[in-house]
Amino acid sequence: MAKSIGVLTAGGDSPGLNAAIRGIGKAADGIYGMQLIGFKDGFRGVMENRIMMLDRQSLSGILTRGGTILGTSRDKPHKMPIGGKTMDMTDAIVENYRRHHLDCLVCIGGGGTQKNAYRLLQKGLNIITLPKTIDNDVAKTDVTFGFDTALIIATDAIDRLHSTAHSHHRIIVVEIMGHQAGWLALGAGVAGGADVILIPEIPFDINVVSRSILRRSQLGSPFSIVAVAEGALSGEQSKEQDLMDKKIENAGGPEEKAQLKAELKALSSLREGSTMRLAGMLEELTGLESRVTILGHLQRGGIPSPADRLLATRLGTACADYIDKGIYGIMVAARGDGTEPVPLEEVVGIKKTVPLDHEWIKCARAVGTCMGDS
Ligand code: F6P
């Protein structure tokens, strides 16, 4: 009998999601005659049984579209906000999976989605995930789709900021997304020739940054582009964070853990606006006028790049093959030019940050970019 497949997109949207849905759907239907049901707005849509049949017609013309035709949300099965409370709705999701007689549920998302999908796997569902996020921080895959498009957008922004910084003899601090990973800021910073790149993996010293800007000024370039990842931390902030992480790790019970997590969240929101503060401090320390550009959600919007369309199509079509073979409980990882099924338990809970000996860091330093530490 032909298999029935459910698909959802969860977490922050990412260019290439529609290409992935199309890839799964066209291969699943065209090659294997499977039926595809889309669930709207992530795990919430499965809980509320809000579906969209993904037939040939609905899959047509979506390859180049940004966002996701299914909609998305950050709702978690075990912590679903309902009427001002959060409730564990995992069983309702399991029930709807069974109601549709699904053979597999494909969850397309980033790190959080991998975790949530794993919870459903532990409830006995057949699960496959695909790695998407502009942050590129999902473990055990070469790359995630969405990253390339965001890299192009952020690099283009740096290119454009160069001429205005140069004309006004200013420092322009450009904040780049990436959550707690520096892939996007580092990649765009190197590709766009930023003078300073600050990433979460390398705690920065403001005095080191200001000295490097002053040195450029003395050498005849009284302007600088500072590419700062949204998660970048000063040495002091980084110590605070490590301390908190350790406390969370060693917490006695789930209540203490939840309390500490809330404190960590409060600490992070206190840091909101830190890019503005960073620019202000650099202005004070260097005497150069400074401005801030926060790229924000621009980095996630619009049409996916050809590389992201290719990657998403590659992962999506491979996903249909794995379903046909009955290979479940995996993330379809990008590996070289192909794909690899990685057991989900090897992916969850691991954030892929930039290794300190990564070639991108080495080459940034080699061309004289200040990484905030030396
Ligand atoms: O994970 C993708 C991402 O864009 C991060 O880079 C960023 O920290 C976060 O999502 C923003 O989330 P939201 O769209 O919910 O504001």
Side-chain angles (χ1 to χ4, degrees):
M1 210 172 89
K3 289 183 173 172
S4 262
I5 314 302
V7 184
L8 63 83
T9 54
D13 70 331
S14 186
L17 280 170
N18 289 325
I21 296 168
R22 172 182 174 272
I24 301 166
K26 290 216 166 189
D29 171 33
I31 305 176
Y32 305 109
M34 298 172 189
Q35 190 194 37
L36 211 68
I37 301 171
F39 290 97
K40 296 182 182 174
D41 303 333
F43 295 98
R44 178 171 285 273
V46 193
M47 175 193 83
E48 293 172 351
N49 196 29
R50 285 189 289 120
I51 63 165
M52 171 179 179
M53 293 313 290
L54 294 172
D55 52 17
R56 289 202 147 255
Q57 208 175 344
S58 53
L59 296 176
S60 170
I62 64 169
L63 175 65
T64 59
R65 271 170 64 182
T68 157
I69 56 165
L70 290 175
T72 186
S73 74
R74 293 196 184 275
D75 294 329
K76 304 175 175 76
H78 65 300
K79 275 189 194 165
M80 196 66 73
I82 296 173
K85 287 188 193 155
T86 55
M87 293 172 73
D88 186 346
M89 298 307 286
T90 313
D91 289 345
I93 290 175
V94 172
E95 207 178 296
N96 281 332
Y97 176 100
R98 307 256 184 247
R99 177 201 297 225
H100 290 285
H101 304 287
L102 295 181
D103 293 285
C104 176
L105 177 65
V106 181
C107 306
I108 314 178
T113 304
Q114 309 298 325
K115 268 193 210 162
N116 292 324
Y118 185 58
R119 285 195 180 97
L120 298 180
L121 173 71
Q122 287 175 312
K123 287 278 178 180
L125 307 192
N126 291 333
I127 298 287
I128 295 191
T129 67
L130 257 59
K132 73 91 189 96
T133 164
I134 65 163
D135 304 338
N136 195 32
D137 61 353
V138 177
K140 303 284 168 104
T141 180
D142 289 356
V143 67
T144 56
F145 61 84
F147 176 65
D148 182 71
T149 310
L151 185 62
I152 292 172
I153 296 169
T155 305
D156 179 61
I158 294 178
D159 290 347
R160 289 171 191 281
L161 291 171
H162 254 117
S163 60
T164 171
H166 180 261
S167 305
H168 284 268
H169 318 295
R170 280 174 175 160
I171 299 169
I172 295 192
V173 181
V174 51
E175 185 187 287
I176 295 172
M177 275 187 170
H179 201 221
Q180 285 163 6
W183 294 106
L184 199 51
L186 177 62
V190 171
D195 307 294
V196 179
I197 302 175
L198 305 178
I199 59 173
E201 293 82 352
I202 304 178
F204 68 85
D205 178 339
I206 188 83
N207 295 307
V208 169
V209 177
S210 66
R211 276 202 298 274
S212 85
I213 291 174
L214 279 173
R215 203 171 318 122
R216 272 178 55 76
S217 213
Q218 283 151 9
L219 293 172
S221 299
F223 71 96
S224 281
I225 300 289
V226 179
V228 56
E230 62 178 347
L233 299 172
S234 67
E236 230 164 78
Q237 290 171 328
S238 168
K239 271 185 209 144
E240 265 175 41
Q241 171 110 16
D242 284 351
L243 207 71
M244 208 56 149
D245 286 346
K246 270 196 199 106
K247 274 191 192 169
I248 293 173
E249 211 180 293
N250 300 325
E255 268 174 30
E256 192 187 345
K257 203 170 234 173
Q259 167 68 25
L260 287 166
K261 277 190 177 168
E263 280 175 38
L264 185 62
K265 215 171 177 182
L267 194 71
S268 316
S269 56
L270 268 182
R271 290 200 198 110
E272 266 167 28
S274 58
T275 302
M276 299 298 288
R277 280 197 293 281
L278 173 70
M281 283 164 82
L282 289 177
E283 181 164 302
E284 227 169 80
L285 290 167
T286 63
L288 288 172
E289 202 177 20
S290 72
R291 291 287 186 271
V292 170
T293 301
I294 297 178
L295 297 182
H297 293 81
L298 265 181
Q299 295 160 104
R300 288 200 334 224
I303 61 168
S305 69
D308 274 338
R309 292 180 211 175
L310 248 170
L311 175 60
T313 305
R314 198 150 62 80
L315 299 184
T317 52
C319 175
D321 290 342
Y322 291 125
I323 295 170
D324 176 61
K325 293 190 180 98
I327 301 174
Y328 304 123
I330 55 142
M331 176 184 79
V332 184
R335 193 72 69 232
D337 283 338
T339 65
E340 192 179 85
V342 180
L344 214 42
E345 66 260 28
E346 291 181 17
V347 178
V348 294
I350 308 170
K351 201 171 274 297
K352 189 180 80 177
T353 51
V354 184
L356 293 179
D357 59 353
H358 195 273
E359 288 303 320
W360 290 4
I361 295 182
K362 283 191 202 162
C363 72
R365 293 194 197 277
V367 295
T369 311
C370 169
M371 295 298 302
D373 58 341
S374 60

